[in-house]
Amino acid sequence: KKANQEQRELSQEETTETIETICKELVSKTRYYDGVPEPPMPLQDIHEAKLITEKWTRWNTLPHDANYEEEFAFDKDMNPCTYNDPNAIFRTIIDMVHVYKDENQQTVAHVRDYKSSWYITGQLDNIQRKAQAVVVWMKYRPDVLIMDVTSIRTGQSLTKQIQALPNEPMLYEWADFIKLAALKLTQINKLIPQPGLNCYQCPFAR
């Protein structure tokens, strides 16, 4: 986000300083996820994250005109709304969304998800990637979607291009599935339990 504010790519020294500042905050302050407090991260985890992030940024740049940790939210009719809107049934935060014009003047949306895991095989075709493709397509209406999963631990990147116009039926199908799943999950507290014999010891079955 500092690169956004400065409207330029950060130097290695600035990037390292930013990483150190974030690590100090994560280890000393309570974190909040969707308003729910979480304890500070363990020092060992922070130290490991700092090392792999510094290594990755040493050889990779972050586009200064991309959006980082961009929030998306939709209501029951799949209309966009603010992230904290109580009517939102679906919310997601994407690590990086870079929208630009390519050499053919096509609008390209590069959607990147950073991972710290060793293995990212199969990550391009899961429900998270489909949801990210749908929300970015619905907001920016690009000609091309580049779906990207990058391991900052190994440096491996998996990418897949989706031409939006010929794949509109598929994107609408994904959107309908996400809407249905989100609606079902928002009604989870209204579902009637059906305890069976294996639920005998469960207090909720009494």
Side-chain angles (χ1 to χ4, degrees), residues 142-199:
D143 301 302
V144 181
L145 284 158
I146 300 177
M147 308 308 298
D148 176 345
V149 181
T150 294
S151 169
I152 61 173
R153 187 182 296 274
T154 65
Q156 181 188 14
S157 289
L158 303 177
T159 61
K160 177 171 68 174
Q161 285 197 16
I162 300 174
Q163 297 289 332
L165 187 58
N167 286 291
E168 269 195 0
M170 178 186 72
L171 290 166
Y172 277 118
E173 181 182 341
W174 289 356
D176 288 342
F177 175 79
I178 291 162
K179 175 184 176 181
L180 177 62
L183 284 170
K184 290 294 184 182
L185 288 172
T186 57
Q187 298 171 359
I188 195 166
N189 291 328
K190 301 175 184 177
L191 297 177
I192 300 174
Q194 297 179 344
L197 293 176
N198 292 329
C199 300

Side-chain angles (χ1 to χ4, degrees), residues 49-64:
K50 178 176 180 293
L51 292 178
I52 63 175
T53 304
E54 287 178 344
K55 179 181 177 182
W56 190 85
T57 56
R58 202 171 295 128
W59 302 103
N60 298 272
T61 57
L62 300 172
H64 72 270

Side-chain angles (χ1 to χ4, degrees), residues 31-57:
R31 298 172 296 146
Y32 290 86
Y33 185 79
D34 285 354
V36 179
E38 297 180 353
M41 294 182 67
L43 184 59
Q44 181 60 37
D45 292 351
I46 287 293
H47 179 66
E48 183 183 16
K50 178 176 180 293
L51 292 178
I52 63 175
T53 304
E54 287 178 344
K55 179 181 177 182
W56 190 85
T57 56

